[in-house]
């Protein structure tokens, strides 16, 4: 038993070289951030490790096969907080203090607002750089994005958009790791449309751009020169309530975009579960510009254990 224990300790000592400790604290109050999640990357584009803090805000970083020739970066990318991208020295055994600043833009979902987050793409052997500001883009791409957005959503809606997330793909590096792939998208940029009067805290939509800034995928927002006027969350909720589609405790509400009609749409989702181990999902759509009923899609399925 002692021999096995010694062998295990020996093996771990061969592969785990980093014992650096981080402490995350709220920048305003100084209180420890319990259960706070962050990632560590190698050379800026490879996943190294991740973890959450304990009750006192501490996180011990353990990176296996630590490469002394590589650089390591700490990444915090949570829309609730200001982003962090910081190079760290994992050969040191000191405690590094990481102040966390709240994001003034963030307003969570509630009875009064919908707040939808941004999705991101995950690749098994490659981690694209994440961005949260247009200033992190190359100057020529920044300019093209602004020009495109201004033309696409109109001058009267332009100021209602904020970049809240994005991924930058190094196409040459990506192709080295995936030789059979031939990706065209170099920039995935997620913009949030905000209209607090209509109960919209964050409605996200992505633009995809090529390496030189050419648009590959349009944003999910009406192409218009006029100010977008919408039926508010409270109004559409009352309409759906009268129609029998809104159940205050269970119905999920979101916003989406119908490209064919060039309209924003309120979406109500109801999940109904039955005793025979089947369920029914109802998706009900209303025109967000005038409150008109569009359609109801129903999908019945069976639970699998």
């Amino acid at each position: 038993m002692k021999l096995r224990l010694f062998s295990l300790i020996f093996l771990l000592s061969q592969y785990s070289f980093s014992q650096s400790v981080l402490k995350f604290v709220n920048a305003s109050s100084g209180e420890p951030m319990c259960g706070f999640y962050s990632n560590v990357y190698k050379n800026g584009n490879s996943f190294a490790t991740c973890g959450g803090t304990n009750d006192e805000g501490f996180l011990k970083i353990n990176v296996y096969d630590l490469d002394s020739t590589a650089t390591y970066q700490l990444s915090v990318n949570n829309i609730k907080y200001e982003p962090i991208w910081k190079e760290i020295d994992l050969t040191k055994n000191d405690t590094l203090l990481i102040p966390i600043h709240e994001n003034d833009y963030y307003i969570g979902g509630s009875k009064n607002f919908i707040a939808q987050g941004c999705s991101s793409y995950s690749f098994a052997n490659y981690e694209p750089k994440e961005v949260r500001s247009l200033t992190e883009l190359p100057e020529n791409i920044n300019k093209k994005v602004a020009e495109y957005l201004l033309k696409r959503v109109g001058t009267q809606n332009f100021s209602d958009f904020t970049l809240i997330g994005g991924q930058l793909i190094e196409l040459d590096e990506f192709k080295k790791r995936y030789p059979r792939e031939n990706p065209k998208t170099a920039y995935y940029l997620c913009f949030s449309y905000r209209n607090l009067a209509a109960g919209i805290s964050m409605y996200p939509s992505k633009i995809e751009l090529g390496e030189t800034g050419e648009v590959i995928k349009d944003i999910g927002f009406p192409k218009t020169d006029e100010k977008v006027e919408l039926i508010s969350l409270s109004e559409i909720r009352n309409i759906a309530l009268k129609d029998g589609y809104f159940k205050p405790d269970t119905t999920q509400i979101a916003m989406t975009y119908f490209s064919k009609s060039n309209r924003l749409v309120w979406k109500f989702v109801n999940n109904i579960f039955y005793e025979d181990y089947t369920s029914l999902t109802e998706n009900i759509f209303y025109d967000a510009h005038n409150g008109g009923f569009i359609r109801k899609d129903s999908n019945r399925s069976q639970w699998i254990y």
Side-chain angles (χ1 to χ4, degrees):
M1 183 66 181
K2 290 183 178 179
L3 181 59
R4 290 182 179 178
L5 181 60
F6 174 80
S7 299
L8 178 61
I9 293 173
F10 177 77
L11 286 172
L12 288 175
S13 68
Q14 297 302 301
Y15 294 101
S16 179
F17 298 93
S18 170
Q19 296 294 327
S20 293
V21 177
L22 307 178
K23 182 171 184 179
F24 293 82
V25 298
N26 185 294
S28 299
S29 66
E31 293 295 317
M33 302 287 290
C34 173
F36 191 80
Y37 194 87
S38 61
N39 294 315
V40 174
Y41 296 104
K42 175 183 176 181
N43 292 330
N45 55 27
S46 297
F47 177 79
T49 189
C50 61
T53 59
N54 62 15
D55 291 343
E56 289 76 37
F58 288 101
L59 171 65
K60 181 184 287 187
I61 298 179
N62 291 293
V63 174
Y64 295 96
D65 295 322
L66 189 68
D67 184 351
S68 61
T69 66
T71 61
Y72 290 87
Q73 297 79 30
L74 171 69
S75 172
V76 174
N77 190 34
N78 184 323
I79 189 61
K80 294 182 180 180
Y81 308 102
E82 292 297 327
I84 293 175
W85 182 265
K86 178 182 179 64
E87 190 161 315
I88 54 177
D89 187 349
L90 296 181
T91 64
K92 294 182 178 180
N93 293 324
D94 58 347
T95 298
L96 185 63
L97 185 67
I98 309 294
I100 300 299
H101 297 263
E102 295 182 359
N103 181 5
D104 292 337
Y105 179 81
Y106 177 77
I107 300 175
S110 66
K111 181 181 179 181
N112 299 318
F113 298 106
I114 63 161
Q116 299 167 221
C118 264
S119 61
S120 60
Y121 291 96
S122 179
F123 307 98
N125 193 35
Y126 176 74
E127 292 289 340
K129 183 181 178 182
E130 298 171 329
V131 297
R132 293 258 297 270
S133 169
L134 287 173
T135 59
E136 298 177 67
L137 303 177
E139 186 175 350
N140 66 315
I141 301 298
N142 186 337
K143 182 180 179 181
K144 286 187 176 182
V145 170
E147 291 174 348
Y148 160 80
L149 196 63
L150 189 63
K151 183 178 180 181
R152 183 69 170 74
V153 306
T155 56
Q156 298 188 63
N157 302 298
F158 180 77
S159 62
D160 296 327
F161 284 82
T162 301
L163 183 69
I164 61 171
Q167 294 173 292
L168 275 58
I169 310 294
E170 305 161 291
L171 293 182
D172 290 341
E173 181 67 25
F174 187 91
K175 291 174 184 177
K176 288 179 185 177
R177 304 189 189 197
Y178 298 93
R180 296 183 180 181
E181 301 291 334
N182 188 32
K184 301 299 182 184
T185 299
Y187 302 91
Y188 295 93
L189 303 178
C190 183
F191 281 86
S192 167
Y193 167 70
R194 169 164 288 179
N195 185 337
L196 297 181
I200 303 168
S201 167
M202 290 192 300
Y203 162 64
S205 182
K206 272 185 180 175
I207 303 172
E208 293 185 17
L209 305 172
E211 203 164 15
T212 60
E214 67 276 18
V215 177
I216 295 174
K217 181 182 177 183
D218 274 319
I219 196 170
F221 192 85
K223 185 175 183 179
T224 180
D225 294 323
E226 300 177 356
K227 182 68 175 178
V228 169
E229 300 293 341
L230 301 175
I231 296 294
S232 71
L233 175 62
S234 59
E235 291 177 293
I236 201 66
R237 204 160 41 199
N238 288 334
I239 292 172
L241 182 64
K242 292 177 182 178
D243 292 344
Y245 294 131
F246 176 60
K247 301 173 179 60
D249 296 327
T250 59
T251 301
Q252 302 170 38
I253 308 176
M255 177 160 278
T256 189
Y257 171 69
F258 283 4
S259 59
K260 288 185 178 180
S261 59
N262 194 38
R263 310 287 280 182
L264 288 172
V265 174
W266 284 110
K267 177 182 177 181
F268 290 74
V269 181
N270 290 314
N271 292 299
I272 306 167
F273 300 94
Y274 301 99
E275 293 181 354
D276 63 351
Y277 301 107
T278 62
S279 63
L280 178 68
T281 298
E282 294 181 333
N283 295 307
I284 303 97
F285 301 95
Y286 289 90
D287 191 313
H289 302 265
N290 57 31
F293 176 81
I294 298 176
R295 71 171 190 264
K296 180 178 74 170
D297 296 338
S298 298
N299 179 41
R300 190 127 188 178
S301 57
Q302 186 171 8
W303 306 354
I304 300 176
Y305 288 90

